[in-house]
């Protein structure tokens, strides 16, 4: 918590996970998303990925938004995150949030 209060991206990300899951802190999806956004604003690939999952699944008080999920997966994938690359490929294959494109 101290590191998150100092604005350290990794700590913000980890505290966000705890809030979304309710582990060691009261479960609060909105707070988890807020913390993810703060980490993502610092360019944290994992925070972009976690936000994308929240949008794809409609978690943390966010509406289901495949287009926003695809945008965020792309930000994470561009930083080399293999899970984001896989998730983005799945959305592209399914035509969810972007035009369907088997070649891409």
């Amino acid at each position: 918590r101290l590191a998150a209060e100092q604005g350290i991206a990794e700590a913000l990300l980890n505290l966000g996970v705890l809030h979304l899951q309710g582990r060691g802190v009261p479960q609060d999806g909105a707070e988890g998303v807020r913390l993810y956004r703060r980490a993502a604003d610092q360019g944290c690939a994992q925070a972009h990925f976690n936000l994308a999952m929240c949008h794809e699944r409609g978690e943390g008080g966010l509406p289901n938004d495949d287009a926003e999920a695809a945008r965020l997966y792309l930000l994470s994938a561009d930083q080399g995150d293999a899970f984001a690359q896989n998730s983005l490929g799945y959305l592209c294959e399914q035509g969810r949030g972007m035009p369907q494109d088997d070649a891409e």
Side-chain angles (χ1 to χ4, degrees):
R1 183 174 298 275
L2 278 173
E5 289 171 1
Q6 294 173 17
I8 297 170
E10 193 79 15
L12 292 165
L13 171 69
N14 291 334
L15 189 56
V17 169
L18 295 177
H19 275 284
L20 274 158
Q21 296 176 352
R23 291 189 351 211
V25 295
Q27 187 170 13
D28 185 346
E31 179 64 6
V33 166
R34 186 185 74 77
L35 292 164
Y36 285 167
R37 285 189 176 132
R38 286 187 57 203
D41 287 345
Q42 295 180 44
C44 178
Q46 185 64 49
H48 286 122
F49 178 81
N50 287 11
L51 278 172
M53 285 195 330
C54 288
H55 279 287
E56 184 180 1
R57 298 175 180 172
E59 294 177 346
L62 296 175
N64 179 274
D65 184 345
D66 287 339
E68 182 64 5
R71 184 187 77 79
L72 290 162
Y73 281 139
L74 180 60
L75 289 172
S76 184
D78 282 347
Q79 294 181 57
D81 186 297
F83 291 109
Q85 292 166 357
N86 183 65
S87 296
L88 185 61
Y90 176 77
L91 290 182
C92 188
E93 178 184 61
Q94 300 295 312
R96 291 178 46 204
M98 61 180 60
Q100 193 272 337
D101 185 347
D102 289 334
E104 183 67 23

